Amino acid sequence: RGGNKSHIIPHQSSVYSVAQSEEDSIVYVGATGDFGYLKETNVTLTYQSLAHLLPDTDFKFTSAWQTVIHQGDVYFRCFEGIIRYSPGEEPKVKVYQRPQEGFFGGLISHENKLFVYYHDVGLLEIGNDSLQRVAQTDFFSDKKFYSGFSYSKDTVLIATRNDGFYLFSPSSDSPPRKFEYKDDGFSEQNDIYNVRQLENGMICILSTNKGAFVIDKHGNPVQWLNQQTSLQSDYTRQVFADANNLWITSNTGIDRINANFDLSHWDKNTGLSGLVETIIRHQNTVYIGTHQGTYYLDGNIPKLVDGMPTGQTWKFLNFKVPNSETMLLVATAKGIYHIKNNKAKSVIEAKGHPTA
């Protein structure tokens, strides 16, 4: 599956984000100056740009940084606007343009609602036809955020960059309430980069200055992981959890912490080069994407994936092929690749290979 044929993404694109529809197995792609989708056929994966459906030819965007599938529609987040693609017999694209000079932050999907942060405006809900203010809009006008998740069926947790965590109920006009957690000084003079809720209910907070902090759902501290105690770097970016381990990426490498918080780590001294962007486990093998290339762990040794280009690796995706095995796709600065048995084949080539 995956074949040998390579298709070109136009407009000299670097691929930044991917998401797969559970309904029809289509993989959607966000790139530099382009957005579209992949579809698995009997022979190969083919790419189709959707940019020609843009209703306003004057709308220009630099990159689609985030791709979110919400209630059957696909949303591509750019700094300059939100692009909504509605598939069907007569597919349509709508653009929610920025209301003023500024940029869009993270998209958060919660139940039947979709929210986005807009710089100096605050929290907005993405409606059918327009960006809509909500009761909590002004509250977040000076509280920049890129990350959040569904804390419960009725509540969203938002992690602001510098102003703490908040819980708000989309169905209520009540102001958001502070989510207090005991951080032992972790949040002081620190920038929150990302937050993820793990399968066991714990919450992992990633920061640019003080490492990672793990708390339970009630805010009680579990573990502070930083350069002084365990990590290679205090600049943490992403986290991935499997059944037995917590994997944390940073600007110098990747760290593995087991359930008892014993630590293993890999960096340039062990053969892993570049800032680590992404990590995934596929068929019992751990794959690591950095700004220098794509690696896999052979036992405890990082090795480059044969056939992958040098340069930025942005995102992994376990592509669920109907009635077949799951494929591992990789979004990179030079296109999308398919990895099988630690060897890669080009699926979509990106010309130009710009860096970010």
Side-chain angles (χ1 to χ4, degrees):
R1 311 286 268 189
N4 295 308
K5 190 174 181 180
S6 177
H7 298 263
I8 305 297
I9 297 181
H11 310 311
Q12 297 188 345
S13 294
S14 178
V15 178
Y16 291 112
S17 58
V18 290
Q20 184 177 15
S21 168
E22 294 183 359
E23 183 177 341
D24 53 19
S25 299
I26 293 176
V27 174
Y28 292 92
V29 178
T32 303
D34 195 30
F35 62 100
Y37 65 89
L38 306 176
K39 192 167 185 178
E40 198 268 346
T41 66
N42 292 330
V43 179
T44 186
L45 286 169
T46 58
Y47 175 77
Q48 175 63 56
S49 172
L50 295 170
H52 65 283
L53 295 176
L54 284 169
D56 184 357
T57 57
D58 293 330
F59 174 70
K60 306 296 182 185
F61 64 97
T62 52
S63 299
W65 295 102
Q66 185 180 8
T67 302
V68 173
I69 299 173
H70 177 77
Q71 293 198 311
D73 288 339
V74 186
Y75 294 81
F76 301 91
R77 177 180 65 83
C78 316
F79 286 156
E80 302 85 355
I82 307 294
I83 302 169
R84 184 187 75 196
Y85 169 66
S86 301
E89 293 184 3
E90 297 182 4
K92 297 179 180 179
V93 166
K94 176 178 176 57
V95 178
Y96 302 83
Q97 298 202 37
R98 53 186 176 186
Q100 60 191 45
E101 287 300 317
F103 60 88
F104 284 102
L107 286 168
I108 301 175
S109 175
H110 173 75
E111 298 295 323
N112 63 344
K113 296 180 181 293
L114 185 65
F115 299 97
V116 66
Y117 168 80
Y118 193 76
H119 178 65
D120 285 342
V121 174
L123 181 71
L124 298 173
E125 183 178 349
I126 301 178
N128 289 331
D129 299 313
S130 62
L131 298 171
Q132 301 169 1
R133 295 175 62 87
V134 295
Q136 299 88 355
T137 294
D138 291 338
F139 181 87
F140 288 102
S141 62
D142 60 347
K143 300 175 179 64
K144 180 169 64 176
F145 67 85
Y146 291 98
S147 188
F149 58 84
S150 293
Y151 181 77
S152 68
K153 185 176 181 179
D154 302 316
T155 310
V156 176
L157 185 146
I158 288 179
T160 71
R161 199 70 185 265
N162 305 107
D163 296 285
F165 289 12
Y166 292 89
L167 296 171
F168 85 95
S169 173
S171 60
S172 171
D173 292 339
S174 301
R177 65 185 188 275
K178 197 74 176 283
F179 177 81
E180 301 288 354
Y181 66 96
K182 302 172 183 177
D183 66 358
D184 300 325
F186 173 78
S187 60
E188 296 177 6
Q189 296 182 332
N190 198 10
D191 288 334
I192 303 303
Y193 187 87
N194 196 2
V195 62
R196 287 281 304 275
Q197 186 169 35
L198 309 176
E199 291 186 3
N200 61 8
M202 292 187 182
I203 299 169
C204 186
I205 308 163
L206 304 159
S207 77
T208 62
N209 299 322
K210 295 186 178 182
F213 199 77
V214 182
I215 60 176
D216 66 20
K217 195 171 182 178
H218 304 290
N220 299 308
V222 176
Q223 187 79 10
W224 186 347
L225 304 165
N226 58 29
Q227 192 170 6
Q228 183 177 1
T229 62
S230 52
L231 301 182
Q232 301 169 76
S233 171
D234 284 334
Y235 188 165
T236 56
R237 298 172 64 88
Q238 302 289 339
V239 62
F240 164 75
D242 59 25
N244 302 308
N245 303 290
L246 197 65
W247 303 79
I248 296 176
T249 74
S250 71
N251 62 335
T252 59
I254 187 165
D255 297 286
R256 179 184 67 185
I257 303 97
N258 70 19
N260 296 319
F261 289 96
D262 294 329
L263 182 78
S264 300
H265 69 260
W266 296 265
D267 58 13
K268 62 182 180 181
N269 296 319
T270 59
L272 185 68
S273 298
L275 186 153
V276 179
E277 281 284 353
T278 183
I279 183 173
I280 198 170
R281 183 185 291 275
H282 176 76
Q283 295 180 348
N284 296 320
T285 299
V286 173
Y287 293 89
I288 304 161
T290 81
H291 280 203
Q292 300 297 321
T294 308
Y295 298 80
Y296 68 97
L297 292 183
D298 183 6
N300 215 33
I301 301 173
K303 292 185 178 180
L304 285 166
V305 175
D306 186 30
M308 287 295 297
T310 58
Q312 293 107 324
T313 299
W314 297 111
K315 185 77 173 179
F316 291 113
L317 176 70
N318 276 319
F319 176 35
K320 300 174 183 177
V321 182
N323 303 316
S324 184
E325 63 181 10
T326 299
M327 297 169 58
L328 179 59
L329 299 182
V330 192
T332 79
K334 298 180 180 179
I336 294 179
Y337 288 77
H338 168 214
I339 296 177
K340 184 175 183 179
N341 298 326
N342 301 326
K343 295 182 179 180
K345 293 181 180 179
S346 175
V347 175
I348 298 176
E349 177 186 349
K351 288 187 175 181
H353 319 327
T355 58

